Amino acid sequence: HGNNLGSLVVLGDDGAGFYSERILHRRPYIHYIIDNDVGETPFSELVGALITGKPVRHVSSLVYRERGIIFRNPSRHFSLKEKNTIPDLNLIADSLPRYWENYISKFGHLHKGPVRPITINFARGCENAKKRCSYCSIKDLTVNTGNPPEFWKAVRLYHERYGINLFFEVDDSLTASPKYVNALMETMPSVLKTKINNREIQFMTYARISGLARKG
């Protein structure tokens, strides 16, 4: 792994933000770390800077090495309601069948019928943020939710275009924001509600037991 053939190696998301300076200090073949749990915009800024030759010191949330010295740029808070986008799966369309096959080979026994899974992420954060679990590697556990209609737009688009029928919302804990869950239920399109009730479309997510047991 010491030879990356001249490529630039960028890390981000869970884990990397906790140990960004240590990673850069011990792993000289890693060049940049995006220290932000909502890293889409900083990553785009970094790519833009590298393409145009502009200094990376203006890239938000970036930790990097320059002349042997490690620098840390200020981080910003990015609202998912403003920044969440619906990825164009055409970019990976050729790989989707293999992705589905791999999932089915490992987890197919958990489902009664054939599934075509995909991961989506329109919410982040956890209600246990003030007393995080010992194994948690997420740096910012502040609740940050996207736009509910955009969530359903993604579900409908992926289902109709690619036949995807199992959506894994990889939110840190969906029970962290009851208001967001209620908004999802209120904005669910009737055409999808029928498919969900008939189990033509299924969902998986993460949740805390304490959140599920909470009244109201």
Side-chain angles (χ1 to χ4, degrees), residues 49-69:
L50 295 174
I51 291 176
T52 60
K54 294 181 179 179
V56 297
R57 64 176 178 270
H58 301 299
V59 177
S60 170
S61 313
L62 189 69
V63 185
Y64 59 100
R65 190 189 306 101
E66 199 169 89
R67 298 183 301 277
I69 301 174

Side-chain angles (χ1 to χ4, degrees), residues 84-133:
N84 236 168
T85 59
I86 301 176
D88 184 0
L89 294 188
N90 280 330
L91 296 173
I92 59 171
D94 293 343
S95 301
L96 286 175
R98 180 177 297 179
Y99 174 78
W100 297 331
E101 291 172 6
N102 288 339
Y103 177 87
I104 293 171
S105 67
K106 295 180 180 179
F107 306 109
H109 63 282
L110 300 176
H111 307 279
K112 292 183 178 180
V115 292
R116 291 184 173 184
I118 199 72
T119 58
I120 54 177
N121 189 203
F122 281 78
R124 299 174 190 176
C126 177
E127 63 263 50
N128 207 37
K130 293 182 179 179
K131 190 178 180 182
R132 66 170 60 240
C133 298

Side-chain angles (χ1 to χ4, degrees), residues 26-37:
R26 297 186 177 183
R27 300 291 184 267
Y29 50 85
I30 294 174
H31 301 88
Y32 302 103
I33 294 178
I34 296 175
D35 187 8
N36 199 312
D37 288 313

Side-chain angles (χ1 to χ4, degrees), residues 4 8 11 24 62 68 97 104-105 114 130 159 171 173 175 185 188 190 193 201 204:
N4 53 46
L8 295 177
L11 298 183
L24 289 181
L62 189 69
I104 293 171
S105 67
K130 293 182 179 179
H159 179 69
D171 181 12
S173 174
T175 53
M185 300 304 294
M188 184 191 304
S190 56
K193 187 177 297 185
I201 295 178
M204 297 191 302

